[in-house]
Amino acid sequence: MDRLCGSGELGSKFWDSNLSLYTNTPDLTPCFQNSLLAWVPCIYLWAALPCYLFYLRHHQLGYIVLSRLSRLKTALGVLLWCISWVDLFYSFHGLIHGSSPAPVFFVTPLVVGITMLLATLLIQYERLRGVQSSGVLIIFWLLCVICAIIPFRSKILSAVAEGKILDPFRFTTFYIYFALVFCALILSCFKEKPPLFSPENHDTNPCPEASAGFFSRLSFWWFTKLAILGYRRPLEDRDLWSLSEEDCSHKVVHRLLEAWQREKNQASGRQTTAVDPKTPGEDEVLLRARPKSKQPSFLWALVRTFTSSLLMGACFKLIQDLLSFINPQLLSILIRFISDPTAPTWWGFVLAGLMFVSSTMQTLILHQYHHCIFVMALRFRTAIIGVIYRKALVITNSVKRESTVGEMVNLMSVDAQRFMDVSPFINLLWSAPLQVILAIYFLWQILGPSVLAGVAVIILLIPLNGAVSVKMKTYQVQQMKFKDSRIKLMSEILNGIKVLKLYAWEPSFLEQVEGIRQNELQLLRKGAYLQAISTFIWICTPFLVTLMTLGVYVCVDENNVLDAEKAFVSLSLFNILKMPLNMLPQLISGLTQTSVSLKRIQDFLNQDELDPQCVERKTISPGHAITIQNGTFTWAQDLPPTLHSLNIQIPKGALVAVVGPVGCGKSSLVSALLGEMEKLEGAVSVKGSVAYVPQQAWIQNCTLQENVLFGQPMKPKRYQQALETCALLADLDVLPGGDQTEIGEKGINLSGGQRQRVSLARAVYSDANIFLLDDPLSAVDSHVAKHIFDQVIGPEGVLAGKTRVLVTHGISFLPQTDFIIVLADGQVSEMGHYSALLQHDGSFANFLRNYAPDEVKEDHEATVLQSANEEVLLLEDTLSTHTDMTDTEPAIYEVRKQFMREMSSLSSEGEGQNRPVPRRHTNSLEKEMPVIKTKETGVLIKEETAETGNVKLSVYWDYAKSVGLCTTLSICLLYAGQSSAAIGANVWLSAWSNDAMEHSRQNNTSVRLGVYAALGLLQGLLVMLSAFTMVIGAIQAARLLHEALLHNKMRSPQSFFDTTPSGRILNRFSKDIYVIDEVLAPTILMLFNSFFTSISTIVVIVASTPLFIVVVLPLAVLYGFVQRFYVATSRQLKRLESISRSPIFSHFSETVTGTSVIRAYGRVQDFMVLSDTKVDNNQKSSYPYIASNRWLGIRVEFVGNCVVLFAALFAVIGRDSLNPGIVGLSVSYALQVTVALNWMIRTISDLESNIIAVERVKEYSSTETEAPWVVESNRAPEGWPTRGVVEFRNYSVRYRPGLELVLKNLTLRVQGGEKVGIVGRTGAGKSSMTLCLFRILEAAEGEIFIDGLNVAHIGLHDLRSQLTIIPQDPILFSGTLRLNLDPFGRYSEEDLWRALELSHLNAFVSSQPAGLDFLCAEGGDNLSVGQRQLLCLARALLRKSRVLVLDEATAAIDLETDDLIQGTIRTQFEDCTVLTIAHRLNTIMDYDRVLVLDKGVVAEFDSPVNLIAAGGIFYGMAKDAGLA
């Protein structure tokens, strides 16, 4: 380098220490200034160029129009290039004219000139690629300015010293150059206009990040606007920015699906066989070598998808790791500076400045890294949710049988979240070892081989932690199992809550849940203790390492003196070492949890899919719409075939009825045509589009109109026709919002019949070619069924001319069909036209003769009702604006058909009940509101509200009380003790190192070491104690809060479940309880940790350099200010995020329940888009939340960096009065403060967002409950009721306050042992009457007496356990048959078998190997509907109480089962009072009396004979049914 400058006019050395360092006015040599200093920016730009060009090639954002700004930037670049050339020519001019300029005057202008030209070209290239603000160029101009500042000062100083300017030409060109570079830097900070054709042009609220300038992105300044807005008022959905294209679901999911597909292809070895069929030899070898069981790896698919984000994150992390080692080196120089009184003062100031710059650089890089990695984590979750959703749409029914909706939702919510949580730690896998190696290297430089003692400690502790984490993993897996089963049980309880109430079975199920919870908490406790032990190990590790290293260092050789530099530099290096070691346990536990999740997701994605080729859609024999040739089908490979050797051909346009006894495979046949079953052999062809009406209507949670249109464009005429023919017009008049009424989850605010008719209207509107109707008529009253058959299905209906396959139990419609398929045991027993089958005299003819002599005759008479009369009937039928109380519909089709649980309130029922629509949640404030108000809205289920503003202190207080106040206090004290011990240990170290200053040898080493060790171990011990105390408190809180929630929910009135989606209740039991169980305690511990660390830092610095007090206040104000802004905004973002999360899962569970309908209508694609939209909505609040953390981090760490700066500055200022030990102590503490301050705000905010779980659980633990189960002071007498006299006195009832009365002044008396049938049009109040008897509805006025006892005075369980009901919907719970019959274990084995025998189930049960321990699937899906109904009869027979209520089942029951039930009731309940809500009048014609209800009042009450003679309402009904 000296040769470059040596000759000629410059003639200076390259480096001169006397000029640059050992002086009070430092300067650099002219040679250094003109060479290296001028080249630094050029080297940077050329080095960055290849990567930057590669980036620009792959990121085209549209080009930016040439603007003034761009022209100015280019002009400056050209001018700078000219200046360099002018300098170069001047040197040549000198050469020609005899002076010999140094070579550097040729090299530097040439290098700078070419670089300026490059910069100018880059400006234009960036413009063409749509870059609005260039970080690369900003840094380049910044370096140019910084490197020019030194010559700027030197030239002026030398001119002043010399009294004249030595080289006026270069002097002038330099200052012009400086001015131009400075202007270029200023201009580059301004950003360009957005590019043409960018999404911003049509985006209403784009994310400002996309168009933010470089500095704005670096410091996250672009977020400030939202932070201020969030501080002023709670944020709302409309304030959130829209997502950038590459974050959108469809983009991210598509990328992952492609990668997963590639993985699958590789794993299955398909590629090997498909690539080159010409060389079978090689292929065979390859295939043989490939292990058969190799599953495709979901992990590799993820890595492939997100490679670029992972690499970018890794680069940032690497830079940040390297930067973190600069400060300890600077600290070392600072301590040397303090120890050396002769050193020039400016060194100290430079060192303080460098520490600040290095810390700030670290902060900026770290947050870029975090932003990159968290955004990637968000994309992880999005992609995983999307992939699981898509898979759930195509899995086979056997897979559905194995995994419930709850488990699938768990994959989506818990397992996808695990990936998101572990992502930030992924880079620690390589970064932690790197940091450890670097730290050890630098420590070796200071302490020599003694470091190995410390390393040995670290290595010894690794297996110990390994053992702890393995144990924790096993607990984790077991606990997940318990959690799954608890959530599954809760979901069933919520779905069957009405049945539990009617049977008074709540205590039994309460006990089951609490049993599972007990086991779950035991595992939690064990896991938490292990966690506490591992925390103890990790807190002690850095300390033990320091202790061992320093101890060995001092003891090995007495010449080894521990001075301040060695002690505190090694301490700050050990602090760096602490970070990766502290993160390791989190990383290990995160990875163990994620590996469990990964396996679960991978297994799910590898499950069997339905074969899309199972049904041939293209070709078919001419003239036919549907053909099956020799078809054998099963629901799952491990089950025997449900349908075998079917040969069916259905001509185009035919109306075909499918009939047969329960469980013979009628619904399975429909499923086979849809491709829902697994085909074992044969061929199925279905030509044309399909519309499908399932046996149990699948209704979406959206408006009625959207349910009918089902994604098709609105055609008013066709829509009107669909509503009209399906008899829905009258319903629309009654529904609060007409066809814009929002229908609750599972159609809860429609009656069973209305749901079925909406489902039918959807099919009619779809205008498909083929209609598969699975028993749509059984859920509606008979006259409605007739209307629908005539108007829709029959030969005269709107579907005439289309191909219709109708599964039915209704005999009266059979003569009008084109032909009939009779099924028996999964085979076609007969097929042909109605008359042909009658003559054939087979099983069908016998069946008809037995079951429908009247109906057949009636059919020949063809009683035609006048249209006017029909209108009236329809109107009455559709007045059923009731929600069914039955909040459960084990949505099944048929034997073993698993049609999965939705996580939300289901409900289903026949048309014969009346319930006013739960218009909206009525909380105490709204009770007074007139009902009419909701007419306009039609909203049933209120949006889940987001709390706004601060979390109330009462919530913290509630949690503290649950933890226990003593426990809370002791945790605080233990933490304070731990901090004091830590400060003590470090102050002791400082004093010890100062010994070395006074005597060159250290004497009492053993005392020094002993005290230091004692203080350190005390600190570790206190940490462990506080962790243990926290565990005890947290588990207690978790137990109490769950208990309160569970007990309250079990005692909530039925109306609560009607208006609250069960998904929302389940969310409390799963997500919120999970937070209370596993998230709150660690968060609180972390908060304590960071809080006490920050406090102790301030204390130490103020004690060392009292001057620091001056800055504490302004820094604290700044910190508080930032914290206020951040917490307000981030809390609201978190709330918005959790509200937008529920719809993802409820939509998912809704989808899973309706997959067969979605597939049948070919709407799979639309539903994927719907799900993506919901996920994107959720991301819109997650993304700003991530940015808010970065925004905060940079500002808080700036405060921390200022602490470092001032600690160092004041140490320099007071260097005369301070010893090195104190300075070392003060600055090494300051270097830790940044992390602590950052964690403190983060954990405060985490605590705020997580404590909301306590708020939400508390909210649902204090809802209104029903009357007490048992009133001790008023128990029912033993053996009550003895006679069974039921009396209503002036009784009125309404569903909820603010709604109209459904029963008005009802007064009647039923004698003991009397059989009474209750009839009435839909909406007359039949079911309400029975619900009042069980006090599911409480009286508005009047009372009910049973055997003279007022039922309102006794406890609910005393009442309900003495009455028996056979509900309309047979609800079973997953578990054994024994549990379903007798959950309390009150009856003997003989009793149970006797009940089964009487209910005609003993043959079925004894044929099962498990007998009474036969396991029922969820909702009883592995039994047919008929068998489930008989099981409910068995329950009633076991109870054998004096009062039996029979809510006659209309849906899905064939006449045989119905006869069995009626026969058993007549014989077994001979001397009981029986109240039957009848839909088929022939069942009650031999009853003692019939009660006819009309609009909630008694219209007629007498014996059937008298009523028919009287010719009133009952006569009309009997006439319609052909009985009069």
Side-chain angles (χ1 to χ4, degrees), residues 721 725 764 790-794 796-800 802:
Q721 183 191 32
T725 50
V764 173
D790 295 343
Q791 299 283 325
V792 182
I793 304 167
E796 308 294 312
V798 281
L799 302 184
K802 308 265 188 189

Side-chain angles (χ1 to χ4, degrees), residues 319-334 351 353-359 361-362 438 442 569 572-573 576 1231:
I319 299 170
Q320 196 264 331
D321 285 351
L322 297 175
L323 281 173
S324 63
F325 285 96
I326 293 178
N327 273 340
Q329 306 309 314
L330 293 174
L331 175 64
S332 163
I333 302 170
L334 181 69
L351 280 172
L354 281 175
M355 276 185 155
F356 179 68
V357 169
S358 143
S359 301
M361 285 288 292
Q362 227 181 304
L438 281 175
F442 286 119
V569 174
S572 65
L573 283 167
I576 291 179
L1231 289 173

Side-chain angles (χ1 to χ4, degrees), residues 324-400:
S324 63
F325 285 96
I326 293 178
N327 273 340
Q329 306 309 314
L330 293 174
L331 175 64
S332 163
I333 302 170
L334 181 69
I335 293 176
R336 257 180 271 162
F337 161 77
I338 298 283
S339 318
D340 174 12
T342 61
T345 314
W346 65 269
W347 282 17
F349 293 123
V350 168
L351 280 172
L354 281 175
M355 276 185 155
F356 179 68
V357 169
S358 143
S359 301
T360 308
M361 285 288 292
Q362 227 181 304
T363 295
L364 294 175
I365 299 282
L366 177 69
H367 288 290
Q368 287 307 314
Y369 160 69
H370 276 328
H371 189 60
C372 168
I373 215 85
F374 277 108
V375 169
M376 183 191 76
L378 197 59
R379 289 180 191 166
F380 263 4
R381 197 191 65 166
T382 304
I384 292 169
I385 287 180
V387 170
I388 291 171
Y389 186 87
R390 282 154 175 74
K391 178 74 181 183
L393 283 169
V394 293
I395 51 174
T396 59
N397 279 289
S398 55
V399 177
K400 280 189 183 179

